[in-house]
Amino acid sequence: MVAWVALLWILLGIDDATGGSLNTLGITPRRPGELLDIVPAAFLHGGVAHLASNTLPLLVLGFLVALGGLARFFGIVATVTIVSGLGVWLTAPGNSVTIGASGVIFGLLAYLVVTGFVNRRVWEVVLGLVVLAVYGSILLGALPGTPGISWQAHAFGLVGGVLAAFLFRRQRRTPPGTLPPGL
């Protein structure tokens, strides 16, 4: 996670040094060619304050999700990034450009909150509730109304996190000598 966040800061430095040239990789809605920008848009930020506000939640939530394994982590992040980006592409105002990792952050939050219920594991439910208690206030960012904030990225990040909880749910182990549930 430290390497990922360092990359985000390096990209911000490059973007600042080149007069914002990387921001052309942000998502402009409903333009077919912009679909390719869904992934890079999640790595770009609109300035130091924007990235600074995303750094700690990304480190903490990303670390907690990565504890489940790197392959699972990358699958979850890819799912969230694509769902959030497609949601922005479909629903954001036509004259906007969306960049930032906050859609991913909202997706990681949703994944951590929902996955314990999906997996039916008490410790994961408890972790999800603790994460919700600490970071739950950011959910207000999924509501429309704050100028310059993409509620679409946040809301669809949440959807992507819930979807990822189901796509990457852990299979329950069947004790030796028993049949799996439903047989």
Side-chain angles (χ1 to χ4, degrees), residues 9-139:
W9 282 99
I10 290 168
L11 290 172
L12 178 62
I14 292 169
D15 191 47
D16 284 348
T18 60
S21 67
L22 295 181
N23 290 343
T24 61
L25 298 173
I27 303 167
T28 303
R30 294 169 295 288
R31 293 186 187 164
E34 293 292 312
L35 286 170
L36 297 175
D37 291 338
I38 285 173
V39 173
F43 289 84
L44 304 173
H45 289 81
V48 171
H50 185 202
L51 182 51
S53 69
N54 282 342
T55 295
L56 186 60
L58 188 57
L59 281 170
V60 172
L61 299 174
F63 173 76
L64 291 172
V65 172
L67 289 174
L70 286 180
R72 175 181 296 277
F73 170 77
F74 288 123
I76 291 163
V77 169
T79 300
V80 169
T81 301
I82 291 168
V83 171
S84 178
L86 282 174
V88 167
W89 188 82
L90 289 169
T91 66
N95 60 347
S96 64
V97 176
T98 302
I99 57 175
S102 55
V104 173
I105 291 167
F106 275 69
L108 295 174
L109 173 67
Y111 174 82
L112 287 166
V113 170
V114 171
T115 195
F117 295 101
V118 171
N119 292 333
R120 297 182 183 162
R121 294 186 174 173
V122 173
W123 73 269
E124 288 179 345
V125 171
V126 170
L127 175 63
L129 293 174
V130 168
V131 166
L132 185 60
V134 173
Y135 286 103
S137 65
I138 71 169
L139 294 175

